[in-house]
Amino acid sequence: MQLLKIYYAYFSPGNTTEKVVSHIASSFQNYPVESINLTDYATRQEDYYFKENELLIIGVPAYGGRVPAPVVDALRHFTGSNTPVVLVATYGNRDIDDTLIELKKNVIDKGFIPVGAASFVCQHTFLKECAEGRLMKKI
């Protein structure tokens, strides 16, 4: 399959998840890249349709080992057509627990095919001393 476009969607109140997924998306240098900021309430209410020759990268922070509720609601507006998806979870040095599993469950019945997943330790949003400086310097 030849990819034609890369999308990255993220929920990132502390901006660390956005930095991680935008960095991943930027590695696709020969493709048009578009971002979807799910941190914004109005953006979460829009409907999104993705084709099979597009790639979606979804990034979320782990909240108590779970996908944040606003993201679960937003994903109800996402529809794929055998669209490959990469799942990304960030966490503040605790654990992602079931975040990636839950994220997968929220996309596979909507026409997406998970092709990869990753988790990244980042500085905690509220407890700055937890994993302090763990966000990659290059980002």
Side-chain angles (χ1 to χ4, degrees), residues 15-40:
N15 295 322
T16 54
T17 303
E18 175 191 9
K19 289 177 183 177
V20 170
V21 294
S22 67
H23 187 67
I24 294 169
S26 72
S27 68
F28 293 89
Q29 296 176 358
N30 297 320
Y31 298 92
V33 176
E34 184 175 324
S35 67
I36 302 169
N37 181 359
L38 299 176
T39 316
D40 177 66

Side-chain angles (χ1 to χ4, degrees), residues 95-115:
D95 196 353
I96 63 162
D97 291 321
D98 291 335
T99 306
L100 288 173
I101 294 167
E102 184 180 349
L103 191 55
K104 177 184 172 187
K105 287 179 180 178
N106 278 282
V107 298
I108 58 173
D109 292 337
K110 295 175 178 67
F112 295 94
I113 300 170
V115 295

